[in-house]
Amino acid sequence: MTHDLPVAADRAPSRPFGRLLTAMVTPFTADGSLDLDGAVRLANHLVDEQGNDALVLNGTTGESPTTTDAEKERLIRAVVEAVGDRARVVAGVGTNDTRHTIELAASAEKAGAHGLLVVTPYYNKPPQSGLVRHFTAVADATGLPIMLYDIPHRAGVPIASETLVRLAEHGRIVAVKDAKGDLTATSWVTGRTDLAFYSGEDSLTLPALAVGSVGLVGTSTHFTGALAKRMIEAYDAGDPGTALALHRRLLPLFTGIFRTQGTILVKAGLAARGLPAGPVRPPLVDATDDEIAQLRADCAAAGLELPE
């Protein structure tokens, strides 16, 4: 990265989507069909019991690669109707096809979403100029605020720091789900833009706050949400000791939820708690007995019960 861009003056952080968001799984019935009643029940739980300010639907955790465009729209409509008066609903619309992404963005906006999550185009590995063109085209085609999703270990390409600074000039590109794992880059961009950075890695939330991030888009927060939000609030209130204690407490589950693909363990944990989840769709596979036992141990280490 270069170092010739000005550093912004200190300012109060903007939180366009609040402090805590969960990338919600998509509940299915036993036969693998979309479970809208279950989705409504789970969304209410995540907002009312786990303290989420917003929910991300149709992300990777929501099994977006294996849900249809029609299912995605129906899910957004149901969740917006259920919790849209109490929480923001952010729709994942990113694909590796700019035209399809714009179509999903229009569908999500029509369905009532409050914002969009747009992941870096994956597998086809566009250059940085292609990323600028892609994200700008989506932002130009919608009236909704956009959170970019920077996750190079899945997408194959990072959004370079200079590219993020350039994209921040667009009025509707307001936030980043930051799963790059590079806190130096995070610090550099947050010092030069008004982009609201949300940690995309549960375990890095506290250090990310220290370099300018404003919150978390979590996976383990299906279970840790209330305590994770307390951690963020404690840091914001100038109580780093409490924030660190909560970080250390939750670390076994912040990391343990990813012992295998996160959706698999979230759905297993939700089922154990009697909450809607259902099976995963292929090519994912449901958790094994050993994986569930380990998840139960990770929950216990974090002081959270997972019933037998």
Side-chain angles (χ1 to χ4, degrees):
M1 79 183 59
T2 60
H3 298 277
D4 55 353
L5 294 173
V7 177
D10 290 341
R11 55 188 177 272
S14 169
R15 290 187 170 89
F17 303 108
R19 288 177 169 84
L20 177 71
L21 302 83
T22 290
M24 193 179 97
V25 298
T26 301
F28 299 131
T29 61
D31 68 359
S33 302
L34 182 63
D35 180 4
L36 288 181
D37 290 340
V40 166
R41 183 180 166 204
L42 180 58
N44 277 304
H45 170 79
L46 291 174
V47 172
D48 297 336
E49 304 300 326
Q50 292 294 341
N52 281 274
D53 301 306
L55 300 176
V56 175
L57 306 180
N58 299 325
T60 310
T61 306
E63 298 180 75
S64 59
T66 54
T67 57
T68 67
D69 292 2
E71 287 175 324
K72 289 177 173 66
E73 182 173 353
R74 290 167 60 207
L75 180 65
I76 295 166
R77 289 187 183 279
V79 173
V80 168
E81 183 176 353
V83 302
D85 60 338
R86 313 192 301 286
R88 294 174 72 78
V89 174
V90 180
V93 300
T95 74
N96 59 355
D97 174 356
T98 302
R99 181 172 56 183
H100 188 201
T101 300
I102 290 171
E103 290 171 355
L104 288 175
S107 175
E109 187 168 11
K110 184 178 178 181
H114 304 114
L116 304 175
L117 178 70
V118 185
V119 72
T120 312
Y122 39 83
Y123 190 75
N124 44 18
K125 299 184 74 170
Q128 294 299 309
S129 59
L131 297 186
V132 170
R133 184 174 179 180
H134 175 80
F135 290 127
T136 300
V138 179
D140 285 345
T142 183
L144 296 178
I146 288 175
M147 178 186 291
L148 306 178
Y149 188 6
D150 188 9
I151 183 166
H153 66 273
R154 282 186 185 267
V157 175
I159 309 175
S161 295
E162 293 86 351
T163 302
L164 287 166
V165 171
R166 182 174 173 185
L167 289 167
E169 297 173 0
H170 197 292
R172 282 184 292 281
I173 296 176
V174 301
V176 178
K177 181 181 178 184
D178 178 18
K180 189 181 288 178
D182 183 347
L183 293 179
T184 300
T186 301
S187 180
W188 194 86
V189 178
T190 57
R192 288 165 172 79
T193 73
D194 289 319
L195 290 171
F197 268 61
Y198 290 84
S199 177
E201 299 188 45
D202 302 25
S203 63
L204 290 184
T205 304
L206 183 56
L209 293 173
V211 297
S213 296
V214 301
L216 166 64
V217 180
T219 302
S220 72
T221 47
H222 285 83
F223 314 107
T224 65
L227 292 173
K229 189 171 186 179
R230 277 178 52 192
M231 178 186 74
I232 297 167
E233 290 173 339
Y235 183 86
D236 288 345
D239 186 0
T242 296
L244 180 58
L246 287 165
H247 164 80
R248 287 172 172 164
R249 172 182 170 179
L250 296 175
L251 195 58
L253 199 50
F254 278 168
T255 57
I257 204 70
F258 300 108
R259 290 181 185 273
T260 184
Q261 204 272 359
T263 306
I264 294 171
L265 291 183
V266 168
K267 284 198 162 183
L270 290 173
R273 289 190 165 188
L275 289 165
V280 296
R281 284 181 176 174
L284 298 184
V285 292
D286 293 322
T288 65
D289 290 344
D290 287 346
E291 287 169 339
I292 294 171
Q294 181 62 62
L295 176 62
R296 190 168 285 112
D298 290 335
C299 285
L304 298 169
E305 180 184 2
L306 192 65
E308 295 283 348

